[in-house]
Amino acid sequence: MNILLTGGTGYIGSHTAATLVAAGHRVILYDNLCNSQASVADRLQTITGHALPLVVGDIRDTALLSKTLTTHQIEAVIHFAGLKAVGDSVKDPVTYFDNNVGGTISLLQAMKAVGIKTLVFSSSATVYGVPHYLPYDEKHPTGAINPYGRSKLHVEELLSDLAHADAGWRIACLRYFNPVGAHDSGLIGEDPSGIPNNLMPYVARVASKALPQLTIFGSDYDTPDGTGVRDYVHVMDLAEGHLAALISLSKGDSPIRYTNLGTGIGISVLQLVDAFQRASGQTVPHILAARRPGDLPAYYADVAKAKAELGWTAKRTLEDMCESTWHFQVTSRHANK
Ligand code: NAD
Ligand code: UD1
């Protein structure tokens, strides 16, 4: 299948590209490079042995999207492109809605114009908001608590309306939990510019001594060790989830479905730090500090629907997540010297 990946040079997009090419698909990357680098396409060529075309463009450029869909005879789109920093979305909601919601509208217009109706959308567990119960299953009420989350929820609602208007669409909304880890090659991974907001990249930088210590936000939560609990999922498992979603869309007759992609296992900040220290052989100095505003104490996925509908379960362990993150950290540090 010819598959367009918007946001294809980004963290999750690049890993999914590697998985799709390995499964025999032809992948075209489309990215404006606002949070990734064109060199990712070269690294993907090294990994896969295939040249992956990269179209540098914005998803809000409907004409360029339409042209790309036609030129490359695209049959399905996986829509990763989006902005994802919660703090920035609070400061500048207009930019977030323009990019995430406006960008998706532009993509849907281009897809409609050329008659492509198969779409996988990068949604997030953040659409569930404050837990009414755990684990979150897909029937859990939605209620995002920040502009980033609301932009994802708006897109889900738009896609739901679209699927009801035209049952010819095949749409999968994948609600990712906390993606971490890297490709085994060490050539691609999560490499945020500046100081990372998220836990795993921050821990990796402390272990490599690029940052002095980790600040643990909150040690008085109602969790087994008092620190926040999340469902960390290996990015290569997530990548395989996209492949499974595409296969299931081609077989299914439902115009839209929503699926959690997580492991179903809650891991605390201290557990992750401990696992990372073991995997890397480095110490991760840390201090306990106040809770981060807006953080939830704990959440994790009910993964029964992913197994039943996609035939997908996450296979990789927390150790695999930490080892691959460390391997990428060390490899990219050498590459940048
Ligand atoms: P990322 O920032 O690494 O990748 C997103 C890519 O989209 C980047 O390469 C960026 O340059 C590109 N992009 C952004 N706006 C664009 C635009 N207007 N036009 C073209 N390209 C554009 O992020 P990621 O972690 O790979 O996330 C991919 C998707 O998954 C995002 O939509 C994100 O919201 C969603 N998601 C991510 C996480 C996570 O923790 N990483 C969790 C849940 C959902
Ligand atoms: C955050 C976003 C969420 C997004 C997700 C992507 C917020 C409020 N939520 O989720 O919308 O989908 O990233 O993966 O930003 N922690 C520390 N010290 C740090 C960093 C994090 O203790 O320096 C803790 C946090 O308090 C939390 C856990 O580590 O308990 C995970 O944090 P993080 O990786 O930022 O992810 P989320 O907060 O789950």
Side-chain angles (χ1 to χ4, degrees), residues 139-175:
K139 293 196 183 107
H140 188 284
T142 51
I145 54 174
N146 54 57
Y148 163 70
R150 278 188 285 276
S151 75
K152 290 286 167 189
L153 202 47
H154 273 48
V155 171
E156 282 202 3
E157 287 165 355
L158 167 60
L159 294 174
S160 166
D161 286 341
L162 178 61
H164 284 103
D166 176 355
W169 280 83
R170 291 291 175 272
I171 299 171
C173 293
L174 301 181
R175 293 171 172 168

Side-chain angles (χ1 to χ4, degrees), residues 86 124 126 146 148 177-179 197-200 202 214-217 228-230 232 269 292-296 299:
V86 173
S124 169
T126 196
N146 54 57
Y148 163 70
F177 280 67
N178 287 51
N197 292 315
N198 296 116
L199 180 64
M200 186 65 106
Y202 203 108
L214 170 72
T215 303
I216 296 182
F217 300 134
V229 166
R230 296 290 183 273
Y232 299 95
V269 177
R292 181 170 65 176
D295 267 357
L296 295 167
Y299 62 82

Side-chain angles (χ1 to χ4, degrees), residues 160-328:
S160 166
D161 286 341
L162 178 61
H164 284 103
D166 176 355
W169 280 83
R170 291 291 175 272
I171 299 171
C173 293
L174 301 181
R175 293 171 172 168
Y176 312 153
F177 280 67
N178 287 51
V180 295
H183 191 267
D184 277 345
S185 63
L187 291 175
I188 52 172
E190 188 176 19
D191 191 12
S193 50
I195 296 181
N197 292 315
N198 296 116
L199 180 64
M200 186 65 106
Y202 203 108
V203 166
R205 292 216 188 151
V206 174
S208 70
K209 303 192 171 41
L211 288 169
Q213 67 182 10
L214 170 72
T215 303
I216 296 182
F217 300 134
S219 55
D220 58 350
Y221 285 119
D222 184 16
T223 59
D225 63 23
T227 65
V229 166
R230 296 290 183 273
D231 184 336
Y232 299 95
V233 56
H234 198 299
V235 68
M236 290 307 295
D237 278 323
L238 209 59
E240 289 162 14
H242 291 76
L243 178 59
L246 275 177
I247 294 167
S248 107
L249 281 182
S250 68
K251 289 184 187 151
D253 52 10
S254 158
I256 187 161
R257 68 173 48 149
Y258 308 86
T259 315
N260 289 340
L261 294 185
T263 61
I265 302 167
I267 300 288
S268 75
V269 177
L270 282 171
Q271 280 177 309
L272 187 143
V273 169
D274 189 42
F276 201 93
Q277 294 187 134
R278 274 184 277 116
S280 64
Q282 308 295 314
T283 52
V284 177
H286 49 271
I287 53 161
L288 302 177
R291 297 178 180 191
R292 181 170 65 176
D295 267 357
L296 295 167
Y299 62 82
Y300 41 94
D302 184 320
V303 292
K305 194 162 182 259
K307 189 172 185 188
E309 291 188 357
L310 308 185
W312 174 90
T313 46
K315 298 187 191 76
R316 295 160 178 89
T317 62
L318 178 61
E319 196 182 7
D320 299 329
M321 301 178 210
C322 295
E323 275 174 5
S324 62
T325 303
W326 181 239
H327 181 46
F328 173 68

